[in-house]
Amino acid sequence: MAKKRLLKEGNPYPLGTSIYENAINFAVVLYAKQQCGIILYHKGESEERIAFSTENRIGNVYCGRLEDINPEEYTYNFYADDAVLVDAYAKQIIGNEQWGKFFKKSPILQSGFYQDTYEWHQDKNPGIPFEDSVLYCAHVRGFTRHSSSGVQGKGTYFGMMQKIPYLKELGITALELLPAYEFEEVEVHNQHPSIQYMIDHYKDIPSEENPEEASSTSLNYWGFKKGYYFAPKASYAYAHTSRGAMIELKNLIHELHQNNMELIMQFYFPSNMKQGYILEVLKYWVLEYHIDGIHLLGEHIPVTLIATEPLFSNTKLLYYDFPCDEIYEKEEQPVYRNLASYQDDFMYDVRKFLKSDEDTLAKFVTYMKKNPSKEAKINYITNYYGFTLQDCVSYDQKHNEANGEDNKDGNNYNYSWNCGVEGATRKRSIQDLRLQQMKNALLFVILAQGTPLLQSGDEFGNSQKGNNNPYCQDNAISWLNWNDLAKHTELFSYTKQLLAIRKAHPILRQPQELRIMDTLSCGYPDLSYHGEEVWRPILDNYNRHIGIMYCGKYAKLDQNTEDDFFYIAYNMHWLEHSFALPKLPKGMQWKLILSTAAKSNQDAAVKEESVLLAPRSIHLYQSTQIQHVNKQTIKHKKSGQK
């Protein structure tokens, strides 16, 4: 019979477990009326319970130290009266390593001990300013789970790491992940509305039970629920172990940093989470995993406390909106602008402008310049919730039947337009119009003064077949089909071109909001608006077109070189419109470098004072030096020809 272990006096902080040379310290907050303590699980042996005594209690924190225990051979939990509790501070979670596995009876997960042995090799966070950032939102599993992804370890951190060259080629600077901390994706309910969904879903997923018996479960594919916040999700690891998940996620982050790219993690906290606990979770991920940003989701989050935490001053913090008046003094400006507003106002209002709704132009103009100095603005026209970009131009109505909720879930109205036919079509004119509208939408996002965010797959026409709420879909609906990249090379190349233009020209991505004033006394304001006549925009509610000029004198390409002028002519009307081109400084002329119209004379010098834009199209003009022709040289050439 094994000798009964003695629990010695321990330290109340840090909470969780701390491993020393010859001992392990346990510290946990417990509310027990009778007994509470530690459960040790040894490989191949029955569990051992070690009770806390009153001497082990400080407030509601119980702590104790066990000696002569090998952390490699044990896992643990806590108990309080009849309840068995997984450690909320556990760095490893054991028992949920296989994604989507269905158990008739939900197993009790176990907490794992953790010793950090990862070598970061002088890893450094890139610290890319928001104005220079391009965000890319992706689900770890869905990004490479499809057979077409061509990676080893599909649907894992390792698979995602193999796509870093692709993201870098596209022009992405930061990868934003949906919840990648541990959570139980299979949820047990008393009743599920669709047995057929479960039958379809579990075809590709191992199950201990018959799928027909799984009608009392559902799948939380996204992971927005209470989780085990200190542990990375084990089933997202190629190794399918909790230890493997820790290593592979750190490898992903390290490889991103090596390529001057960042990682932003989404964290969802239900309203009943303790604020102190939330802060400890976020500190841990910044220190232990070197993450570059945090996207906070949920209600009652202590955003002021988080935003004023000195540890996070160089960490990007994204939330619906920050109370900047509480965070900064009146005249104070952050040394590094790390806060960002992340909300849907841009998405829905700009979608209305895209589909030519009335009374949208004034709001559109505001969004294109909005760029507060204390809080960056994240701009997106699609996200993981709602339609993809392809579906925004292909569907008027949501098609969520596969979710098993009689198409009652998800937003009923998405401000989308199917361009004349609902869903897929072979009609070339509609396909061309849809491509044109997707190009328009991407230009809105990428050339707005805020920080652009792309939803994964939008750059090559990814579709979810009209499903605007695939929270429970772990299949072809929510997985990226990389075969679409070959089918939509024009859209991909266009996206890459736009991002390259933004990166090359700082006037298109200023650190502070442009003022629409000639503060340099150079004859041009930094930003100006135009219409069919220069300097005379029409912002009436019936109007759907406008020209916006950016003066390159207000930004430097290098210490001695001014940026170029840019003029963007937006025509979202279903009729063609004339645009007057503003006069440039002497020796310069406009050059059309990009057009979203199906047929256009791109990369051509423009000598006219006005241009005509096709319906629902955009032209991007860049200033260029006039090439003067030496008349004497021409005369000599003609003499030689004789």
Side-chain angles (χ1 to χ4, degrees):
M1 185 176 179
K3 184 179 178 181
K4 186 174 179 63
R5 297 181 185 275
L6 296 177
L7 192 62
K8 297 187 176 182
E9 181 180 351
N11 298 319
Y13 287 98
L15 293 170
T17 59
S18 302
I19 300 175
Y20 302 104
E21 185 176 351
N22 194 39
I24 299 177
N25 187 79
F26 295 81
V28 60
V29 177
L30 294 174
Y31 302 92
K33 295 181 179 179
Q34 298 177 5
Q35 276 194 335
C36 60
I38 305 165
I39 307 174
L40 284 181
Y41 306 95
H42 189 273
K43 297 177 180 178
E45 295 183 10
S46 59
E47 66 184 44
E48 177 185 354
R49 296 201 172 204
I50 305 163
F52 287 123
S53 66
T54 54
E55 285 76 18
N56 298 118
R57 180 175 178 176
I58 303 174
N60 283 324
V61 178
Y62 288 85
C63 56
R65 191 177 79 255
L66 289 178
E67 296 181 344
D68 298 322
I69 176 173
N70 183 355
E72 296 293 331
E73 296 182 1
Y74 288 87
T75 56
Y76 72 100
N77 278 333
F78 296 109
Y79 70 90
D81 297 327
D82 295 329
V84 176
L85 307 171
V86 176
D87 185 4
Y89 288 80
K91 310 305 187 294
Q92 294 186 76
I93 299 297
I94 313 299
N96 198 39
E97 293 82 6
Q98 187 172 336
W99 168 268
K101 190 170 185 178
F102 171 69
F103 298 90
K104 191 170 185 180
K105 183 179 180 181
S106 180
I108 297 175
L109 303 180
Q110 297 177 9
S111 312
F113 296 108
Y114 170 64
Q115 288 178 298
D116 182 25
T117 58
Y118 189 82
E119 178 54 65
W120 283 97
H121 298 290
Q122 297 180 326
D123 179 72
K124 185 177 180 181
N125 297 72
I128 302 170
F130 269 117
E131 61 268 22
D132 297 335
S133 296
V134 179
L135 279 53
Y136 189 89
C137 185
H139 187 283
V140 174
R141 181 171 170 84
F143 189 55
T144 61
R145 181 63 182 84
H146 197 276
S147 59
S148 61
S149 66
V151 302
Q152 183 181 9
K154 295 176 177 60
T156 67
Y157 307 117
F158 181 52
M160 180 168 273
M161 189 171 72
Q162 294 165 65
K163 290 294 186 181
I164 289 177
Y166 166 84
L167 296 173
K168 192 172 183 179
E169 178 192 353
L170 182 59
I172 303 303
T173 69
L175 184 60
E176 180 186 341
L177 301 184
L178 272 70
Y181 47 83
E182 190 61 73
F183 61 90
E184 295 180 82
E185 65 276 5
V186 177
E187 299 176 339
V188 180
H189 308 286
N190 292 329
Q191 184 177 3
H192 191 280
S194 174
I195 295 176
Q196 186 60 47
Y197 159 70
M198 297 304 299
I199 295 173
D200 292 341
H201 171 69
Y202 280 98
K203 283 190 294 188
D204 299 324
I205 296 178
S207 173
E208 287 191 348
E209 307 294 333
N210 293 325
E212 290 82 359
E213 298 177 8
S215 59
S216 61
T217 70
S218 63
L219 186 78
N220 190 325
Y221 176 72
W222 287 345
F224 295 109
K225 58 183 295 186
K226 184 178 180 180
Y228 304 98
Y229 293 102
F230 286 83
K233 186 150 185 61
S235 61
Y236 289 170
Y238 184 37
H240 289 304
T241 65
S242 56
R243 177 77 65 176
M246 300 164 77
I247 295 171
E248 289 178 30
L249 180 53
K250 288 180 178 180
N251 285 344
L252 171 62
I253 296 169
H254 183 263
E255 189 65 22
L256 285 167
H257 290 175
Q258 290 292 104
N259 284 274
N260 198 38
M261 298 169 70
E262 299 180 322
L263 187 88
I264 298 172
M265 294 273 291
Q266 290 186 3
F267 286 90
Y268 168 75
F269 296 104
S271 58
N272 61 349
M273 300 298 294
K274 302 293 185 184
Q275 295 191 349
Y277 177 74
I278 293 174
L279 188 60
E280 289 185 69
V281 168
L282 304 181
K283 285 181 177 181
Y284 175 77
W285 280 89
V286 169
L287 292 173
E288 181 66 31
Y289 284 88
H290 295 199
I291 63 173
D292 305 278
I294 297 162
H295 184 181
L296 297 160
L297 296 162
E299 305 297 331
H300 306 300
I301 293 177
V303 290
T304 301
L305 176 65
I306 293 169
T308 54
E309 167 56 50
L311 182 67
F312 300 150
S313 62
N314 290 325
T315 301
K316 290 181 171 66
L317 300 174
L318 286 59
Y319 188 61
Y320 308 119
D321 201 21
F322 285 93
C324 289
D325 292 343
E326 299 176 13
I327 296 167
Y328 299 111
E329 298 292 336
K330 187 175 182 180
E331 302 299 327
E332 181 185 2
Q333 291 293 334
V335 176
Y336 176 77
R337 186 175 56 158
N338 70 318
L339 308 182
S341 169
Y342 194 122
Q343 49 186 289
D344 295 344
D345 51 353
F346 180 101
M347 177 168 67
Y348 289 124
D349 286 337
V350 173
R351 282 188 190 181
K352 295 176 189 177
F353 183 63
L354 176 67
K355 68 187 187 75
S356 308
D357 282 2
E358 192 176 56
D359 198 22
T360 58
L361 181 58
K363 281 187 177 181
F364 170 77
V365 167
T366 300
Y367 288 130
M368 295 307 289
K369 71 178 283 289
K370 190 172 184 181
N371 188 24
S373 60
K374 294 182 179 181
E375 180 188 37
K377 181 74 173 67
I378 308 298
N379 295 325
Y380 50 90
I381 202 163
T382 60
N383 216 300
Y384 63 88
Y385 50 91
F387 281 152
T388 67
L389 183 57
Q390 178 73 56
D391 290 353
C392 270
V393 299
S394 302
Y395 294 92
D396 282 353
Q397 306 295 329
K398 64 181 181 181
H399 297 270
N400 299 355
E401 292 80 5
N403 296 352
E405 299 182 35
D406 298 324
N407 205 31
K408 295 178 181 178
D409 62 307
N411 288 341
N412 290 324
Y413 193 59
N414 299 273
Y415 304 100
S416 60
W417 178 46
N418 64 18
C419 297
V421 174
E422 188 75 355
T425 180
R426 293 184 178 181
K427 194 171 183 179
R428 184 64 189 210
S429 60
I430 292 179
Q431 289 179 350
D432 289 344
L433 178 56
R434 287 176 177 176
L435 175 60
Q436 188 166 311
Q437 287 288 77
M438 286 191 286
K439 287 182 175 181
N440 291 336
L442 287 167
L443 192 145
F444 294 161
V445 173
I446 294 172
L447 294 190
Q449 282 285 305
T451 300
L453 177 139
L454 303 181
Q455 174 60 20
S456 60
D458 277 352
E459 72 276 13
F460 55 73
N462 175 59
S463 173
Q464 293 173 168
K465 312 306 179 189
N467 192 321
N468 74 353
N469 189 38
Y471 72 98
C472 58
Q473 298 294 337
D474 178 43
N475 48 45
I477 291 177
S478 56
W479 300 343
L480 292 193
N481 186 338
W482 290 86
N483 291 325
D484 290 336
L485 184 57
K487 300 175 184 176
H488 296 92
T489 54
E490 182 178 347
L491 185 62
F492 174 78
S493 297
Y494 169 84
T495 308
K496 188 166 63 170
Q497 179 188 8
L498 268 182
L499 290 173
I501 291 170
R502 177 187 174 90
K503 180 180 180 181
H505 296 283
I507 190 61
L508 300 174
R509 47 174 178 82
Q510 287 290 283
Q512 296 184 0
E513 191 162 300
L514 298 172
R515 300 171 64 183
I516 322 181
M517 296 174 61
D518 183 5
T519 57
L520 297 179
S521 299
C522 64
Y524 294 89
D526 51 10
L527 177 70
S528 56
Y529 301 121
H530 309 267
E532 295 184 11
E533 299 180 44
V534 294
W535 310 107
R536 295 186 64 182
I538 300 174
L539 296 174
D540 293 343
N541 65 345
Y542 62 81
N543 209 35
R544 296 168 173 86
H545 63 284
I546 193 168
I548 303 178
M549 184 172 71
Y550 301 84
C551 174
K553 293 179 179 293
Y554 292 84
K556 297 284 189 180
L557 296 175
D558 55 45
Q559 190 173 0
N560 301 313
T561 309
E562 295 176 347
D563 203 350
D564 299 323
F565 283 69
F566 285 87
Y567 181 75
I568 310 178
Y570 298 93
N571 180 22
M572 291 301 105
H573 202 192
W574 52 84
L575 302 176
E576 63 182 15
H577 281 278
S578 175
F579 287 77
L581 292 176
K583 189 174 181 179
L584 288 166
K586 187 176 180 180
M588 301 174 71
Q589 66 181 2
W590 289 114
K591 179 180 181 181
L592 177 63
I593 62 169
L594 185 148
S595 172
T596 64
K599 296 179 180 180
S600 61
N601 186 21
Q602 297 184 36
D603 202 31
V606 180
K607 297 180 181 180
E608 295 83 1
E609 294 183 354
S610 65
V611 292
L612 191 66
L613 259 69
R616 306 184 193 277
S617 69
I618 304 172
H619 280 191
L620 175 60
Y621 296 90
Q622 181 179 358
S623 64
T624 183
Q625 295 292 327
I626 296 175
Q627 300 298 318
H628 294 284
V629 180
N630 189 314
K631 295 181 180 179
Q632 192 68 24
T633 302
I634 294 175
K635 184 177 180 181
H636 286 314
K637 283 185 176 180
K638 288 183 177 179
S639 298
Q641 288 173 359
K642 292 179 182 178

